Amino acid sequence: MYRKIRRRNHLVGPAFAVVLGAVALTVLLAGCGQSSGGGKASAAKPAVTSKPAGGQQAAGAAQGASGQSVAASTFTGTIEYVEGDVTVNGAATEIGAQVKNGDTITTGNSGVCDIVFLKRNIVQIQADSIAVLNFGEIGRGIQLESGALAAVLKNLTPTKTGNRFQVDTPTIVAGVRGTTFYIKVLNINSTYFCLCNGEVHLQDSAGGDKMALEAAHHSAVEYNREDGIFRVTKRPLLYHTDAEMQALASKIGYTINWKKPDLVN
């Protein structure tokens, strides 16, 4: 078959060469067209790659939207009550002042400061305390370096780490959700925590001694560290009363039901 084609090519001679040249030209032009189309396809490649890029933009937009959502959960608190010596970042404060992520609240030996955020949450920073606020994008909580605080939390909107409020001290980490609690740093190696009503997840500052508590009416523990080893002991109701916790809850219009734990799903 190949021979026959060769023979016909030889017989046709110049005429076939003309035809072949025309065909070749047509193919060349078509090739150019395809090359041009390829240019378009190449131009389309950015369009194709722009889809991932668009996806990245969409992801960026989603992150932006997430950022907006997070921004919505990045909030300020309002100081609703001040008594005695109370400063924010070293400066005297007053009722109505706004506090934000990273602010340090310091109280003197007779100082008390109530902070309300997201309308249905109140934290009372008590005397001789240093507390750093975490009202940021990742989560929310307070780093209690010294002193004591009481809290009634009833409106924790979601953040990147869920709707948990975390309190850190030198010896304990408490993750609470919709909970009434009291916490006191006794010293750098000892912290008292009382779950007044609700639920909490506790662990020592090294990540061990984890426990989950649920209570309707005060369940307290004390975390102690000695020579790098933590010990957890049950403790009675100390440093606060039902009346004091209810008085705090009343400031956000909430009544504590001491007969059953108020749990947040």
Side-chain angles (χ1 to χ4, degrees):
M1 185 174 180
Y2 285 103
R3 290 179 182 176
K4 185 176 181 180
I5 293 174
R6 279 180 176 177
R7 199 165 28 243
R8 288 181 61 189
N9 288 346
H10 175 73
L11 292 174
V12 175
F16 179 79
V18 172
V19 174
L20 183 61
V23 170
L25 181 61
T26 302
V27 171
L28 179 62
L29 291 175
C32 291
Q34 289 173 355
S35 173
S36 174
K40 292 177 182 178
S42 175
K45 282 183 181 178
V48 171
T49 55
S50 73
K51 289 183 180 179
Q56 291 170 358
Q57 290 176 358
Q63 289 172 359
S66 174
Q68 292 175 358
S69 175
V70 169
S73 63
T74 303
F75 52 88
T76 59
T78 302
I79 294 180
E80 297 288 347
Y81 178 77
V82 173
E83 179 182 324
D85 183 18
V86 179
T87 63
V88 178
N89 301 326
T93 191
E94 61 185 2
I95 293 174
Q98 300 293 298
V99 289
K100 63 186 183 306
N101 183 44
D103 282 350
T104 298
I105 315 298
T106 305
T107 60
N109 59 14
S110 61
V112 177
C113 175
D114 291 352
I115 300 172
V116 173
F117 58 94
L118 301 176
K119 297 182 180 179
R120 294 272 288 169
N121 306 292
I122 185 166
V123 174
Q124 182 179 82
I125 301 172
Q126 301 186 348
D128 290 320
S129 298
I130 299 175
V132 181
L133 305 182
N134 176 14
F135 289 172
E137 295 182 356
I138 302 301
R140 63 178 62 87
I142 291 180
Q143 180 180 335
L144 184 63
E145 298 180 0
S146 62
L149 67 81
V152 181
L153 308 176
K154 294 293 136 191
N155 181 34
L156 296 178
T157 55
T159 64
K160 290 181 179 179
T161 56
N163 60 341
R164 189 177 73 168
F165 188 94
Q166 181 168 303
V167 181
D168 294 82
T169 79
T171 51
I172 196 174
V173 178
V176 298
R177 297 175 62 194
T179 301
T180 301
F181 68 93
Y182 178 92
I183 186 169
K184 182 178 180 68
V185 177
L186 304 175
N187 55 63
I188 196 170
N189 291 310
S190 184
T191 298
Y192 170 91
F193 182 92
C194 180
L195 173 61
C196 305
N197 182 283
E199 60 182 335
V200 64
H201 290 83
L202 298 173
Q203 65 183 47
D204 63 47
S205 57
D209 292 305
K210 296 180 180 181
M211 66 172 67
L213 297 179
E214 181 181 308
H217 188 250
H218 304 291
S219 178
V221 295
E222 189 174 307
Y223 275 70
N224 293 284
R225 177 177 52 202
E226 185 174 353
D227 297 327
I229 299 174
F230 287 88
R231 186 179 73 258
V232 184
T233 56
K234 291 286 291 181
R235 300 293 284 154
L237 174 61
L238 298 171
Y239 314 117
H240 64 300
T241 66
D242 286 2
E244 289 169 344
M245 297 307 296
Q246 181 52 61
L248 187 64
S250 296
K251 293 183 178 183
I252 56 169
Y254 178 71
T255 300
I256 301 170
N257 183 350
W258 296 114
K259 294 183 179 180
K260 69 175 183 178
D262 186 1
L263 305 179
V264 176
N265 296 323

